[in-house]
């Protein structure tokens, strides 16, 4: 007759199942993990999973909620605090700080997952499963709406669609890094063995994301340049050429076209403007409209000043100063 040890009461069993599911989710993703793997790792039988959770789907919901619920509560609390302190002076750095600071704080707490917390966060937002995506969209919709609204206030020059794309790209790239198993080793390599505290890490991360979010909308000439690149690539593939061969063959016509444009600028102008419309995809509609309506802005620095501002280039030092205030709870 098996004897149940005192450490294996119901609460301990439930925690071990959740811990096992979390580890497997981080390492394998939702689709690749099975209940058999979870029960084996947790050293429980299938009946225990059914008793505590009822199904794999319910188990994964509980596993994500026990970490992400607290994270998002802390995020909203910090964003509300910044809102109360700053009002209309809320900056992009403050909104990013409200997103990242709670995550870093929780990753330093072994009671809520420790270093694995960031990997869980990265996996959750990069997992291709529709089940995971639907859960996050439904369960944390109000949080996403709240932060998107804050970003809109901090970046009023960006059309809603453009802001959505930029956040999607930036957060997706960040999540991919967090989901990797070599993040710690990369940090050590990039810092050349020197210690990097939360302030330095957030400053570097935010300086990159702020620059991406505040980048000016592309104007018609930039769109024409990229359209020409796409057109050249398409022509090269059609001719069965790629790499240097394609460049060499296309070099002469390109030079001739440039010479003709210099000689007849009035006649070639309509041709340059036609490129964006010819190669534009559905996702570029808002950008072309902004360019054609004359709403594209001049390059701006992190503080909103023109790109030729002599104070531009403070870089990590400026971001560090900003996040020094955020980490110590000041506006």
């Amino acid at each position: 007759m098996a004897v149940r040890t005192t450490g294996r009461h119901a609460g301990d069993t439930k925690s071990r199942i959740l811990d096992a599911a979390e580890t497997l989710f981080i390492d394998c993703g939702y689709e690749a993990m099975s209940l058999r793997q979870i029960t084996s790792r947790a050293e429980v039988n299938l009946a225990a999973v059914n008793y505590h959770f009822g199904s794999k789907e319910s188990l994964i919901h509980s596993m994500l909620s026990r970490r992400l619920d607290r994270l998002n509560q802390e995020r909203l609390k910090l964003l509300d605090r910044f809102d109360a302190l700053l009002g209309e002076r809320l900056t992009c750095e403050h909104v990013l700080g409200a997103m990242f600071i709670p995550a870093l704080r929780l990753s330093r707490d072994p009671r809520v997952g420790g270093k694995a917390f960031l990997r869980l966060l990265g996996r959750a937002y990069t997992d291709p499963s529709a089940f995971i995506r639907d859960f996050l969209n439904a369960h944390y919709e109000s949080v996403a709406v709240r932060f998107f609204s804050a970003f809109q206030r901090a970046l009023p020059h960006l059309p809603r669609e453009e802001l959505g794309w930029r956040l999607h790209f930036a957060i997706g790239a960040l999540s991919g890094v967090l989901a990797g198993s070599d993040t710690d080793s990369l940090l050590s390599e990039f810092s050349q063995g020197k210690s990097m505290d939360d302030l330095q890490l957030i400053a570097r991360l935010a300086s990159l994301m702020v620059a991406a979010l505040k980048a000016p909308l592309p104007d018609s000439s930039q769109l024409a340049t990229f359209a020409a690149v796409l057109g050249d690539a398409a022509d090269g593939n059609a001719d069965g050429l790629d790499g240097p061969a394609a460049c060499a063959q296309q070099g002469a016509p390109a030079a001739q076209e440039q010479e003709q444009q210099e000689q007849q600028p009035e006649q070639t102008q309509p041709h340059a403007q036609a490129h964006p419309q010819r190669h534009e995809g559905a996702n570029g509609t808002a950008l072309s409209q902004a360019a054609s309506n004359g709403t594209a802005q001049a390059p701006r620095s992190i503080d909103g000043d023109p790109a030729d501002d002599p104070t531009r280039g403070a870089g990590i030092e400026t971001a560090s100063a900003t996040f020094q205030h955020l980490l110590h709870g000041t506006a």
Side-chain angles (χ1 to χ4, degrees):
M1 177 178 176
V3 178
R4 178 179 300 206
T5 60
T6 56
R8 299 202 172 189
H9 50 76
D12 182 60
T13 299
K14 185 175 182 179
S15 295
R16 286 189 292 113
I17 295 172
L18 287 169
D19 289 342
E22 180 176 294
T23 300
L24 288 168
F25 177 69
I26 291 173
D27 291 340
C28 307
Y30 175 74
E31 296 294 350
M33 60 190 293
S34 67
L35 283 179
R36 182 182 296 275
Q37 291 173 310
I38 295 171
T39 56
S40 175
R41 190 177 190 89
E43 298 181 349
V44 300
N45 55 35
L46 185 58
V49 176
N50 291 332
Y51 173 77
H52 289 290
F53 303 101
S55 65
K56 176 185 175 182
E57 290 77 10
S58 180
L59 167 58
I60 301 305
H61 281 178
S62 298
M63 179 269 292
L64 291 172
S65 295
R66 73 167 179 165
R67 304 300 192 204
L68 300 186
D69 280 3
R70 179 177 173 182
L71 169 65
N72 284 298
Q73 289 168 4
E74 295 296 323
R75 282 172 163 173
L76 290 175
K77 186 186 302 182
L78 189 54
L79 184 58
D80 287 342
R81 182 163 175 265
F82 289 156
D83 255 339
L85 286 171
L86 299 167
E88 293 304 315
R89 294 183 295 114
L90 185 73
T91 68
C92 187
E93 288 84 351
H94 283 89
V95 183
L96 289 170
M99 291 181 65
F100 300 144
I101 291 173
L104 283 174
R105 285 176 176 169
L106 291 174
S107 73
R108 303 294 187 259
D109 187 347
R111 296 170 299 176
V112 292
K115 291 183 178 180
F117 179 82
L118 293 180
R119 287 194 63 201
L120 172 67
L121 189 61
R123 169 66 76 176
Y125 286 95
T126 56
D127 194 274
S129 167
F131 170 80
I132 298 296
R133 186 168 58 252
D134 291 345
F135 168 77
L136 295 175
N137 289 340
H139 200 60
Y140 302 109
E141 180 182 10
S142 61
V143 179
V145 170
R146 177 79 173 81
F147 270 88
F148 192 87
S149 175
F151 275 116
Q152 282 187 301
R153 288 165 47 208
L155 301 166
H157 68 288
L158 288 181
R160 180 183 180 87
E161 181 182 1
E162 178 65 15
L163 175 60
W165 277 115
R166 293 189 184 196
L167 288 172
H168 174 73
F169 293 146
I171 294 175
L174 170 63
S175 298
V177 172
L178 295 180
S181 60
D182 58 348
T183 301
D184 287 340
S185 61
L186 285 175
L187 287 175
S188 177
E189 180 180 347
F190 293 154
S191 61
Q192 298 181 343
K194 299 178 182 179
S195 62
M196 182 180 294
D197 58 23
D198 288 354
L199 170 63
Q200 294 170 316
L201 183 59
I202 292 176
R204 281 168 169 76
L205 173 63
S207 63
L208 178 66
M209 291 191 65
V210 167
L213 291 172
K214 288 187 173 182
L217 292 169
D219 58 22
S220 57
S221 64
Q222 291 172 310
L223 290 172
T225 297
F226 281 107
V229 171
L230 292 173
D232 291 344
D235 293 342
N237 290 336
D239 296 336
L241 299 174
D242 56 13
C247 294
Q249 180 157 325
Q250 293 172 6
Q256 294 174 1
E257 182 178 353
Q258 181 178 359
E259 183 179 355
Q260 292 174 359
Q261 289 177 349
E262 292 174 352
Q263 295 173 353
Q264 300 176 346
E266 295 81 9
Q267 297 177 8
T268 57
Q269 183 65 26
H271 175 72
Q273 295 291 336
H275 277 289
Q277 297 177 3
R278 181 160 53 94
H279 293 285
E280 178 189 34
N283 294 335
T285 301
L287 301 183
S288 290
Q289 289 177 344
S292 62
N293 292 335
T295 58
Q297 300 186 3
R300 312 291 288 184
S301 72
I302 195 171
D303 295 316
D305 298 322
D308 58 354
D309 188 339
T311 64
R312 187 171 184 250
I316 298 300
E317 290 75 13
T318 300
S320 295
T322 300
F323 281 95
Q324 182 74 38
H325 294 304
L326 299 187
L327 284 167
H328 288 83
T330 59

